[in-house]
Amino acid sequence: MRLLALALRRFLWMPPTLLGLTLIVFSVSHVIPSDPARVLAGENASIEQVETLRRKFGLDQPLPVQFVRYVSDVVGGNMGISLYTQRPVATDLIERLPATFELALFAIALAIMLGLPLGVVSALMRNSWLDQIVRLVTIGGLAMAAFWLAILLQLLFSMQWNLTPVQGRIDGWGPDPITGFYTVDALIRGDLDTFLTALRYLFLPMMTLAIPAMATIVRFTRAGVLNVMNSPFVFYQAAMGLPRRVVIWKYILRAALIGTLTQIGLVFGNLLAGAVVVETVFSWPGLGTYAYNSILQSDYNAIMGFTLFTGSVFIGMNLLVDIAQAVLDPRGR
Amino acid sequence: MLRRRPFLAAAGAALIAGRARAQSPRRIVTAINSPYDTLDPHTVFDIGRIATRLNMYDCLVRWVDNPPKLVLWLAEKVDISPDGLIYTFKLRANAKFHDGAPITADDVVFSMERILEMKKGGYSLFKGAIDPGKTKALDAGTVQFTLNAPFAVFLSVLAELWIVNSTLVRANDKSADFGAAWMARNTAGSGSFRLSRYDPAVGFQANRFVDHFMGWGPNPLDQIEYRTILETSGRVLGMLKGDFQSTDGYLPLDQIKQLRDGPNIRIDEAESIRTMYFILHNSRAPLNDINMRKALSYCFDYDAFNIQILGGSVARNAGIIPNTLWGAPADLKGYTYDIAKAKQHLALVKAPLRPLTIGILAGFGQSEQAAVLLQAGAAKAGIEIKLVSEPWSVIQGKYNDPDKTHDIIPLWRSAYFADPHNWTGVIYNSRNIGAGNASHYRNPRFDELTDKALLLTDQEARRPLYEEASRILVDDAAGIYVYNTKWFGPFTRTVKGVRFCPIGDAQDMRWMSIG
């Protein structure tokens, strides 16, 4: 019951948080001295041409009016029309969502699979040569700029070793979508060739996103394990004569992973935001490239739509993390 | 259930097959940095996305080759009335749309009315020259345009009147929007290639339209594909790896060198008609003083920029009209880098000096290099310049507003149509202040020349007018004129028949073949 109340309380915070986010993004994007009507009309367009577009998209209205209208439209499920694609922003986002989600899910899965064990081992073997190497790698993973890492991986894996494609999501045009996740769709169809091709295309962008995510997970896991290892209850369990294996897996990890779990939620949100750079470098046709183009074109509705969407995912992930944390740690209920 | 060994064997085979998958022998994949976010030819007017228009639509006339020649295309004959007001076109009898319907005069009328009504894309080319209702179908094969006044470049700009299938567009006009929503995602043209796949996030693919009225030469392409690759490095690496057979021809010099060294790649070179210049704010003090503008013109080290920084990959262009185009005075003497002369002119400036700002196009390295060079030269002469880096959308959003725009903006003037009017009247006639004249420049004599040139249809009669107009701009130091671009088109060696035309940057794929 307490868990339900917690979830409800957190859920009720979502609308005001999203409203705040909308207000901030709306203000920031509209105070930039850019004129989307002019950009859309072109550099040689007449004033009349620009004004026609301004009226058509409601950009001639005062900012508060535009904001109120935008919020009421969003509440009604309408995120507006993209100035550039001339289509509903929601449609654009939904079309590109599977590409980004597939990439982010593979990246987070890889980051967790590598990050958790490395973090635990690093903590258990503190100050050993293995620990030093892991720490070096994680610091490097966090310090490297995504675009630089991406180009480095392209040069190495694609150009030097000829193992992966340079960019893109699939050879030619993707299969007709079932879920929109190429790997899943290929498996549903039993098409192993397409599945492996999709994996080859996924590899480099996934690595680019996964390496810094993994570094974060390693560091938090390591710190969490070290912290718990020095707790009195761990000494007590060890003094009770429990095997080290049981103490580690049953007591230390459960307590240590609470902090890591929170980070994984945040890291997943960051992956969506980080996809803007990675998708651009790898020409990955997802939300990131959509956001990149929208920013370049001052496409207000598209920028707002992308931000609202990623913000919602971020807040949703936080909600899930809070609930999961409460399940794992009764003190939080 | 998959057993491990057969699964791995199949996986290995699939991986090898994936890597070894050969390109179709008559297919070219081109990587471009522009997102093809719409296919509607009447809503966009840029060079970046011209591939959709050039390859899937036709016009009455078309630009080909370099220097660009305007040739009859959908039209087989044109009559111009002696007063230059009435243009009558006879359409080719064998021209068909992709759905097999014949192209009629009604389609031309509909296309013109659609542009004038929607007020987007190439509308600015026709605005004021012809009013709605002034395009008439005399019969199924004859169309007539009646202009408001003689407009010398009318034929030239008709290369941007893309003819759409009126029946098809009307059938898909769901909300009285001239079929705009449908046209953004579909095509209704007659061009050399017919759309087969389109994804705004990826690009487009089109198959050869076998029944195209121009017919086909030996070994034509069966399929073309354009891919949006935003990052320069991605386009270059893709070319080197063989994923693409062609990419854009205005890559940075170091990337061109890298491609030139690549296996199986050749670089086609041509002098284009795309001039690089600095917009100067001619109506804001102290730049409204001719001596201030002249001082700045002497502060830019043209040779250092063109020869050392750009490695001679461009040609010095002393005026705004490209050297290779008629109307550019052959004997035009531009400015040189001369700090002593800059100081002389600076001493004559009456208004108090203030720090000037250069609006740099963020992400355009050359824009920043040019700005830094001018800043350094100006500093030697005693002029303080600040650099502000902003995205193109921000620069463009401000530059027609005399109060908000920067003092100086390094920019390129691309070839929208191959007529000196594109480089003079459009961007310097005072009538276009707020609509293309971002220099906020006014000179009655210049206006008179460029207005008069629009009333004449004889190129030889127009030539001296533009030559004088070009000289006036240099005498007034209305801008700082730097270079004319060279085009370096990267292609794999198997690509044949490239016909570069500056209007379209060799993206008219019907001429190409693979062999």
Side-chain angles (χ1 to χ4, degrees):
Chain A
M1 199 60 197
R2 280 184 182 173
L3 203 61
L4 192 68
L6 173 81
L8 191 66
R9 205 165 51 240
R10 291 279 193 273
F11 188 77
L12 288 175
W13 269 108
M14 281 183 78
T17 311
L18 280 173
L19 185 67
L21 177 71
T22 311
L23 181 61
I24 292 168
V25 177
F26 185 89
S27 307
V28 169
S29 60
H30 283 70
V31 295
I32 294 170
S34 170
D35 184 352
R38 164 60 65 181
V39 176
L40 187 58
E43 61 184 295
N44 295 328
S46 64
I47 294 170
E48 176 205 4
Q49 210 173 338
V50 175
E51 290 308 317
T52 302
L53 288 172
R54 206 187 306 286
R55 276 194 300 277
K56 180 180 174 185
F57 290 106
L59 299 167
D60 56 335
Q61 300 292 314
L63 277 186
V65 174
Q66 288 187 48
F67 180 70
V68 170
R69 197 181 55 201
Y70 180 77
V71 171
S72 60
D73 283 351
V74 168
V75 170
N78 175 13
M79 298 177 101
I81 302 288
S82 158
L83 300 181
Y84 255 75
T85 67
Q86 303 281 310
R87 296 201 311 168
V89 170
T91 308
D92 283 343
L93 292 176
I94 288 167
E95 263 185 21
R96 288 171 178 249
L97 182 63
T100 299
F101 249 62
E102 185 176 37
L103 176 58
L105 286 174
F106 268 86
I108 196 76
L110 181 69
I112 292 170
M113 280 193 296
L114 293 177
L116 280 182
L118 278 177
V120 172
V121 170
S122 185
L124 294 177
M125 300 173 70
R126 189 181 183 190
N127 293 332
S128 68
W129 62 269
L130 182 70
D131 182 35
Q132 303 294 357
I133 290 173
V134 169
R135 286 165 70 186
L136 192 71
V137 169
T138 53
I139 289 169
L142 287 170
M144 264 190 286
F147 74 90
W148 188 75
L149 177 62
I151 293 173
L152 210 65
L153 291 173
Q154 280 178 327
L155 289 172
L156 204 62
F157 283 87
S158 301
M159 304 308 292
Q160 196 70 31
W161 296 335
N162 201 27
L163 290 173
T164 61
V166 179
Q167 61 218 328
R169 196 179 170 206
I170 196 90
D171 283 345
W173 300 77
D176 289 334
I178 302 171
T179 64
F181 289 56
Y182 285 176
T183 48
V184 176
D185 290 355
L187 287 178
I188 291 172
R189 291 194 175 93
D191 184 350
L192 184 63
D193 188 14
T194 302
F195 175 74
L196 291 170
T197 304
L199 277 187
R200 288 200 307 92
Y201 277 90
L202 260 170
F203 183 72
L204 292 188
M206 174 184 71
M207 289 290 286
T208 311
L209 281 176
I211 287 173
M214 181 199 72
T216 305
I217 292 170
V218 167
R219 286 178 70 82
F220 272 86
T221 307
R222 182 180 180 277
V225 170
L226 283 176
N227 190 34
V228 175
M229 274 170 72
N230 294 321
S231 302
F233 83 93
V234 172
F235 289 128
Y236 173 75
Q237 301 295 351
M240 290 288 287
L242 285 175
R244 183 173 157 81
R245 182 169 42 85
V246 175
V247 173
I248 291 170
W249 289 103
K250 192 170 177 184
Y251 295 99
I252 295 180
L253 275 188
R254 178 167 177 175
L257 289 186
I258 293 170
T260 306
L261 188 71
T262 311
Q263 281 307 312
I264 289 173
L266 296 175
V267 162
F268 187 75
N270 283 336
L271 286 184
L272 291 177
V276 174
V277 174
V278 175
E279 288 189 3
T280 303
V281 176
F282 287 104
S283 297
W284 191 263
L287 294 173
T289 45
Y290 183 70
Y292 178 85
N293 286 325
S294 307
I295 292 165
L296 286 185
Q297 311 290 2
S298 299
D299 191 343
Y300 289 159
N301 286 343
I303 295 169
M304 297 286 297
F306 172 78
T307 313
L308 262 185
F309 175 77
T310 47
S312 304
V313 172
F314 215 88
I315 293 167
M317 285 304 299
N318 270 315
L319 176 68
L320 289 178
V321 165
D322 284 348
I323 293 170
Q325 217 170 15
V327 171
L328 289 173
D329 184 359
R331 292 171 301 176
R333 289 176 205 168
Chain B
M1 181 180 160
L2 278 171
R3 286 174 57 206
R4 195 176 172 207
R5 189 162 293 175
F7 178 87
L8 287 177
L15 274 171
I16 292 164
R19 278 209 292 272
R21 187 170 292 139
Q23 295 281 355
S24 168
R26 286 187 183 176
R27 175 170 179 259
I28 287 182
V29 183
T30 305
I32 291 287
N33 65 346
S34 294
Y36 295 99
D37 35 30
T38 176
L39 295 176
D40 192 334
H42 296 159
T43 60
V44 287
F45 176 45
D46 60 4
I47 304 296
R49 289 171 289 182
I50 202 168
T52 55
R53 313 199 291 280
L54 270 180
N55 292 298
M56 296 191 284
Y57 287 92
D58 288 310
C59 296
L60 297 172
V61 292
R62 176 166 289 206
W63 293 104
V64 293
D65 298 332
N66 188 32
K69 291 193 297 277
L70 193 64
V71 298
L72 290 173
W73 196 251
L74 261 177
E76 62 181 13
K77 188 178 170 220
V78 57
D79 287 319
I80 305 172
S81 64
D83 60 4
L85 286 174
I86 300 173
Y87 288 68
T88 308
F89 289 88
K90 183 78 182 162
L91 304 183
R92 289 174 187 268
N94 63 337
K96 290 177 185 170
F97 286 110
H98 292 152
D99 65 358
I103 299 175
T104 67
D106 284 334
D107 297 307
V108 180
V109 174
F110 178 81
S111 300
M112 178 57 95
E113 297 301 321
R114 190 169 186 266
I115 286 182
L116 296 178
E117 183 63 34
M118 291 175 71
K119 295 186 171 61
K120 285 184 181 178
Y123 166 73
S124 58
L125 299 172
F126 302 103
K127 178 184 169 275
I130 185 167
D131 288 338
K134 292 295 183 69
T135 308
K136 303 280 186 196
L138 301 185
D139 58 50
T142 312
V143 64
Q144 190 172 77
F145 301 90
T146 304
L147 308 187
N148 297 330
F151 187 46
V153 295
F154 186 66
L155 266 184
S156 299
V157 299
L158 277 180
E160 200 60 37
L161 173 63
W162 306 97
I163 309 303
V164 300
N165 184 334
S166 58
T167 310
L168 192 56
V169 176
R170 282 194 182 104
N172 290 286
D173 186 356
K174 303 296 182 198
S175 49
D177 63 349
F178 275 89
W182 186 81
M183 287 287 281
R185 289 289 172 277
N186 300 277
T187 57
S190 60
S192 304
F193 294 88
R194 181 179 186 170
L195 184 70
S196 54
R197 298 290 298 260
Y198 172 57
D199 182 341
V202 178
F204 74 93
Q205 187 184 72
N207 295 328
R208 182 160 60 97
F209 180 42
V210 179
D211 294 332
H212 192 266
F213 60 85
M214 286 294 285
W216 293 94
N219 301 319
L221 297 176
D222 296 320
Q223 190 177 73
I224 60 169
E225 187 169 317
Y226 274 82
R227 293 239 163 191
T228 301
I229 307 292
L230 296 170
E231 280 296 302
T232 301
S233 66
R235 299 197 295 283
V236 171
L237 292 180
M239 279 291 294
L240 290 169
K241 200 167 161 57
D243 295 340
F244 313 125
Q245 286 71 54
S246 156
T247 187
D248 56 299
Y250 298 114
L251 292 170
L253 188 63
D254 57 327
Q255 305 289 330
I256 294 168
K257 281 181 181 162
Q258 195 183 347
L259 281 174
R260 212 190 287 274
D261 295 339
N264 197 31
I265 293 174
R266 70 160 203 274
I267 307 287
D268 289 358
E269 288 185 34
E271 187 166 345
S272 186
I273 47 173
R274 177 175 174 263
T275 44
M276 191 262 173
Y277 69 117
F278 287 87
I279 291 176
L280 299 179
H281 194 322
N282 279 247
S283 67
R284 183 193 285 157
L287 286 166
N288 56 357
D289 186 325
I290 188 171
N291 283 299
M292 185 70 199
R293 299 196 299 270
K294 285 192 172 185
L296 279 174
S297 297
Y298 282 118
C299 285
F300 190 72
D301 193 340
Y302 303 90
D303 288 345
F305 190 65
N306 294 348
I307 298 169
Q308 289 163 24
I309 294 176
L310 300 181
S313 61
V314 296
R316 173 84 176 103
N317 210 96
I320 186 67
I321 302 175
N323 295 328
T324 50
L325 191 71
W326 66 271
D331 58 346
L332 186 64
K333 293 236 178 337
Y335 293 87
T336 52
Y337 179 53
D338 191 333
I339 296 299
K341 281 188 181 172
K343 285 180 177 172
Q344 286 172 17
H345 283 285
L346 194 61
L348 299 173
V349 176
K350 293 187 180 71
L353 293 186
R354 62 173 174 81
L356 302 174
T357 58
I358 301 183
I360 302 169
L361 274 67
F364 290 77
Q366 220 185 91
S367 169
E368 186 172 350
Q369 288 169 323
V372 169
L373 198 62
L374 180 60
Q375 184 189 39
K380 287 179 187 169
I383 303 168
E384 186 186 346
I385 291 181
K386 292 177 181 169
L387 308 184
V388 180
S389 182
E390 291 175 339
W392 167 237
S393 58
V394 176
I395 299 257
Q396 192 191 19
K398 292 195 286 195
Y399 86 3
N400 281 304
D401 184 333
D403 298 325
K404 292 181 182 169
T405 190
H406 297 291
D407 295 310
I408 307 165
I409 303 169
L411 202 65
W412 292 265
R413 181 64 188 167
S414 295
Y416 292 101
F417 53 95
D419 189 284
H421 180 62
N422 180 55
W423 287 267
T424 52
V426 174
I427 57 173
Y428 283 112
N429 191 297
S430 64
R431 205 173 346 100
N432 292 328
I433 286 177
N437 179 352
S439 305
H440 302 274
Y441 171 76
R442 289 175 195 275
N443 182 318
R445 176 63 183 158
F446 178 88
D447 286 353
E448 184 189 339
L449 288 166
T450 49
D451 284 343
K452 188 178 172 190
L454 282 183
L455 301 178
L456 306 172
T457 51
D458 178 11
Q459 182 173 309
E460 287 313 306
R462 298 174 68 214
R463 183 191 300 270
L465 303 179
Y466 285 117
E467 288 182 352
E468 186 183 344
S470 183
R471 286 195 183 91
I472 288 175
L473 291 177
V474 173
D475 291 344
D476 281 352
I480 302 173
Y481 307 109
V482 183
Y483 69 71
N484 186 29
T485 311
K486 281 186 186 169
W487 172 80
F488 294 88
F491 294 93
T492 51
R493 292 189 187 281
T494 50
V495 176
K496 311 285 183 198
V498 177
R499 284 174 71 174
F500 170 70
C501 177
I503 300 148
D505 290 342
Q507 294 186 56
D508 191 355
M509 307 297 280
R510 71 162 359 263
W511 313 113
M512 294 187 201
S513 63
I514 292 273

